[in-house]
């Protein structure tokens, strides 16, 4: 067993629990992305073996164990793994499903325990950058640089998500869930507004103002921001940071504070202007006191625009619980300035890694590379992060996804496909072990601002001071 991992297992489990608490809210709000279901109390690990084709293996038989939180329903494992074994008859993939319901918190705990127990792990998946970075630091994932160099490609060119950490690659990205803006196209048509294909936050604010209508309880707002909340959903306080190629977080890659970036203050100014001056965004106090749900705000037409992650692809055409009764279009995540690089947006993905304890690293890497490229097309459940997938293939995948909704004909598929094709992730910044403390402090200062208890300059200064103190305390 990897000694570094063994020594760090207790800290790793505690860190996973801490980040999972804020990560679910920060990334997708529990079940929003289809991977964080309520915790399953059954502690048994389910394993299924893909037997593949009947072809006689021409090479030495290899059995790989794939540890994943992904369910059959969400990941189409049987067909996907069968396709790989058909291509590689000597390789058997044993699927170890860590949660029957796709609960990433439960799955992460079981993965940690499996590693601590020295179980055979060859391929493993992480659901977020925090889990990926933390377990790389503990030595759980193998360095893939040598394999990638041998294959002759660059991750930052072959994929929309750059998975480098400290200059090396330890995982390849699977699915691609960028953030975008959902639009009530009927409201846009009524206001004489076109579906944006490239726009700025100033233009977003202008749209929201023009889309706002009515007063009192029946008022329709131009937009709804579902955060921040209790240190979660912090994307909504990084709006003008997240569309930058680097330094898109509250902390820089070297662990220092990034709150002196003018785009942090600009985000606060945008939020205050839209809520207090334009009165075009749902009040923060209403979101908190009424415990508003973003699906209801958008699908009930209480808000005309919703900035959210593309895990909503599976619901965008309406579901039994949340039906769609109007036309929906999609716009890209806004830029700060017209001349800025287009398409940069917050992105969630699956980080697919080779275990550092695997005795078959080459075969495990071969599977990871296939799964994150051709395998994503075979799987047909998500938009791949692989740039080898052409626009017409993405359109076909979107067709399959929309077919599972109640009213796909009400969705402007062209705007959805165009937005997904043009989206790309900014640089991954490995989260600090005290990230949750940073989020909580900034959230608290924002609440003082938006509830009228301090001004923007004081909010920035107090946030900087508190974050610097958190950083200093954790360096001791």
């Amino acid at each position: 067993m990897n000694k570094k991992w063994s020594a760090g297992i207790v800290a790793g489990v505690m860190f996973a629990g801490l980040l999972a608490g804020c990560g679910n809210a920060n990334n997708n709000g529990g079940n929003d992305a289809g991977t964080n279901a309520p915790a399953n109390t059954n502690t048994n690990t389910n394993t299924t073996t893909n037997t593949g084709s009947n072809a006689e293996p021409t090479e030495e038989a290899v059995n790989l164990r794939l540890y994943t939180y992904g369910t059959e329903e969400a990941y189409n494992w049987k067909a996907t793994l069968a396709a790989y074994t058909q291509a590689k008859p000597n390789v058997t993939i044993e699927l170890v499903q860590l949660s029957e319901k796709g609960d990433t918190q439960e799955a992460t705990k079981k993965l940690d325990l499996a590693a601590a127990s020295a179980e055979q792990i060859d391929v493993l998946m992480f659901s977020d950058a925090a889990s990926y970075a933390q377990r790389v630091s503990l030595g759980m994932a193998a360095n893939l640089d040598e394999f990638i160099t041998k294959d002759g490609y660059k991750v930052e060119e072959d994929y929309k998500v750059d998975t480098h950490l400290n200059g090396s690659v330890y995982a390849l990205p699977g699915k691609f869930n960028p953030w975008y803006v959902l639009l009530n196209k009927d409201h846009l048509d009524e206001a004489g507004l076109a579906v944006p294909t490239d726009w700025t936050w100033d233009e977003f604010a202008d749209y929201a103002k023009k889309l706002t209508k009515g007063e009192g309880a029946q008022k329709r707002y131009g937009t709804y921001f579902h955060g921040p909340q209790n240190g979660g959903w912090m994307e909504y306080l990084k709006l003008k940071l997240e569309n930058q190629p680097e330094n898109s977080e509250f902390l820089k890659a070297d662990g220092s504070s990034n709150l002196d970036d003018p785009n942090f203050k600009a985000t606060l100014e945008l939020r205050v202007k839209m809520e207090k001056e334009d009165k075009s965004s749902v009040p923060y106090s209403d979101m908190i006191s009424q415990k508003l749900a973003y699906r209801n705000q958008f699908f009930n037409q209480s808000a005309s625009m919703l900035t959210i992650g593309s895990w909503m692809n599976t619901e965008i055409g309406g579901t039994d619980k949340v039906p769609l009764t109007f036309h929906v279009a999609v716009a890209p995540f806004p830029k700060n300035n017209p001349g800025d690089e287009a398409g940069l947006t917050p992105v969630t993905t699956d980080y697919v890694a080779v275990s550092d304890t695997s005795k078959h690293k080459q075969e495990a890497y071969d599977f990871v590379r296939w799964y994150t490229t051709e395998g994503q097309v075979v799987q047909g459940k998500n938009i791949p992060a692989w740039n080898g997938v052409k626009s017409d293939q993405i359109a076909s995948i979107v067709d399959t996804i929309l077919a599972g909704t109640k009213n796909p004909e009400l969705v402007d598929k062209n705007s959805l496909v165009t937005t997904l094709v043009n989206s790309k992730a900014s640089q991954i910044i490995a989260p600090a072990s005290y990230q949750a403390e940073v989020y909580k402090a900034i959230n608290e200062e924002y609440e003082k601002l938006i509830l009228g208890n301090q001004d923007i300059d004081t909010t920035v200064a107090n946030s900087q001071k508190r974050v610097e103190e958190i950083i200093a305390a954790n360096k001791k």
Side-chain angles (χ1 to χ4, degrees):
M1 178 169 56
N2 185 296
K3 293 181 179 179
K4 187 178 181 183
W5 170 252
S6 178
I9 185 64
V10 175
V13 172
M14 291 177 65
F15 178 84
L18 176 65
L19 274 176
C22 70
N24 280 352
N26 187 44
N27 290 334
N28 49 44
N31 294 330
D32 296 336
T35 57
N36 289 318
N40 178 12
T41 56
N42 181 4
T43 57
N44 293 327
T45 297
N46 299 316
T47 63
T48 58
T49 301
N50 171 50
T51 56
S53 67
N54 294 321
E56 290 294 326
T58 57
E59 304 175 48
E60 180 182 354
V62 173
N63 179 71
L64 299 177
R65 304 190 85 209
L66 164 61
Y67 280 63
T68 179
Y69 45 81
T71 63
E72 173 63 27
E73 180 182 17
Y75 282 79
N76 195 22
W77 286 121
K78 291 180 181 178
T80 304
L81 299 184
Y84 186 71
T85 302
Q86 185 174 5
K88 296 273 190 178
N90 64 305
V91 179
T92 299
I93 308 292
E94 182 181 349
L95 186 69
V96 182
Q97 291 181 299
L98 296 167
S99 172
E100 292 180 347
K101 296 181 179 180
D103 179 359
T104 56
Q105 294 184 42
E106 176 192 15
T108 298
K109 291 177 182 178
K110 287 185 177 181
L111 179 62
D112 289 349
L113 292 174
S117 301
E119 292 185 18
Q120 179 193 339
I121 304 175
D122 298 287
V123 179
L124 55 158
M125 292 171 60
F126 307 117
S127 63
D128 57 85
S131 296
Y132 169 48
Q134 177 67 5
R135 280 151 189 81
V136 166
S137 71
L138 292 171
M140 191 169 185
N143 189 312
L144 302 182
D145 289 350
E146 183 179 344
F147 299 107
I148 293 170
T149 299
K150 183 179 177 181
D151 273 2
Y153 68 92
K154 295 181 178 179
V155 170
E156 63 270 28
E157 295 176 357
D158 256 30
Y159 298 91
K160 290 184 174 69
V161 180
D162 185 352
T163 53
H164 277 85
L165 283 175
N166 301 319
S168 292
V169 175
Y170 299 86
L172 297 179
K175 66 185 180 184
F176 181 69
N177 279 347
W179 278 54
Y180 52 30
V181 181
L182 293 181
L183 307 165
N184 185 316
K185 193 171 184 302
D186 292 350
H187 291 176
L188 262 64
D189 292 343
E190 175 189 286
L193 298 171
V195 175
T197 57
D198 184 24
W199 59 342
T200 66
W201 282 112
D202 286 343
E203 291 170 319
F204 175 91
D206 183 59
Y207 265 56
K209 191 173 181 179
K210 291 176 179 177
L211 290 166
T212 299
K213 184 178 182 180
E215 295 293 340
Q218 302 304 314
K219 181 175 181 177
R220 185 187 80 196
Y221 288 91
T223 196
Y224 171 73
F225 294 115
H226 192 59
Q229 295 188 45
N230 301 315
W233 290 100
M234 296 299 286
E235 290 89 351
Y236 294 103
L237 281 188
K238 296 183 290 182
L239 297 176
K240 291 196 172 188
L241 287 168
E242 291 167 319
N243 53 21
Q244 302 302 297
E246 297 178 343
N247 294 327
S248 58
E249 251 288 358
F250 297 129
L251 299 178
K252 296 179 182 178
D254 62 5
S256 62
S257 172
N258 192 36
L259 297 186
D260 58 353
D261 189 316
N263 288 322
F264 172 58
K265 181 178 179 180
T267 298
L268 300 180
E269 291 172 336
L270 175 72
R271 292 293 305 270
V272 170
K273 178 181 183 296
M274 293 185 68
E275 178 173 332
K276 304 298 185 181
E277 297 177 25
D278 297 346
K279 302 186 185 303
S280 61
S281 64
V282 176
Y284 182 83
S285 58
D286 287 0
M287 180 196 73
I288 297 298
S289 63
Q290 299 176 32
K291 298 181 179 178
L292 298 179
Y294 64 80
R295 287 180 178 83
N296 293 341
Q297 288 295 297
F298 183 71
F299 286 103
N300 290 349
Q301 304 193 65
S302 298
S304 301
M305 301 191 297
L306 176 67
T307 305
I308 200 70
S310 59
W311 57 79
M312 288 298 293
N313 288 346
T314 58
E315 303 176 47
I316 194 174
T319 63
D320 288 329
K321 292 183 178 179
V322 188
L324 176 64
T325 59
F326 53 91
H327 293 87
V328 171
V330 179
F333 197 78
K335 305 185 298 186
N336 295 345
N337 306 294
D340 288 352
E341 182 178 356
L344 285 168
T345 179
V347 169
T348 58
T349 188
D350 293 323
Y351 297 86
V352 192
V354 173
S355 172
D356 197 49
T357 61
S358 174
K359 296 180 180 179
H360 304 284
K361 287 187 174 65
Q362 180 65 59
E363 291 84 358
Y365 164 78
D366 289 341
F367 170 75
V368 168
R369 174 62 169 164
W370 176 86
Y371 173 72
T372 59
T373 54
E374 299 169 45
Q376 289 294 292
V377 179
V378 172
Q379 199 167 58
K381 285 290 188 178
N382 297 289
I383 303 302
W386 182 42
N387 282 323
V389 176
K390 305 304 178 185
S391 297
D392 58 342
Q393 291 173 287
I394 290 183
S396 177
I397 294 172
V398 168
D399 280 336
T400 300
I401 294 172
L402 292 179
T405 65
K406 303 297 289 185
N407 295 102
E409 74 281 357
L410 294 178
V411 178
D412 181 349
K413 190 186 82 170
N414 182 62
S415 68
L416 173 58
V417 171
T418 300
T419 297
L420 293 172
V421 168
N422 294 330
S423 295
K424 49 185 174 289
S426 55
Q427 177 192 37
I428 293 175
I429 298 176
S433 59
Y434 48 85
Q435 194 92 1
E437 296 178 65
V438 170
Y439 285 167
K440 183 174 182 292
I442 297 173
N443 194 154
E444 289 173 352
E445 294 304 319
Y446 173 74
E447 285 194 352
K448 296 174 187 176
L449 166 68
I450 205 67
L451 297 178
N453 296 320
Q454 66 186 19
D455 61 26
I456 290 177
D457 287 335
T458 303
T459 300
V460 172
N462 286 351
S463 297
Q464 290 174 329
K465 181 176 182 292
R466 292 183 65 179
V467 169
E468 292 286 2
E469 289 172 348
I470 292 170
I471 294 171
N474 281 276
K475 284 184 177 179
K476 295 179 180 179

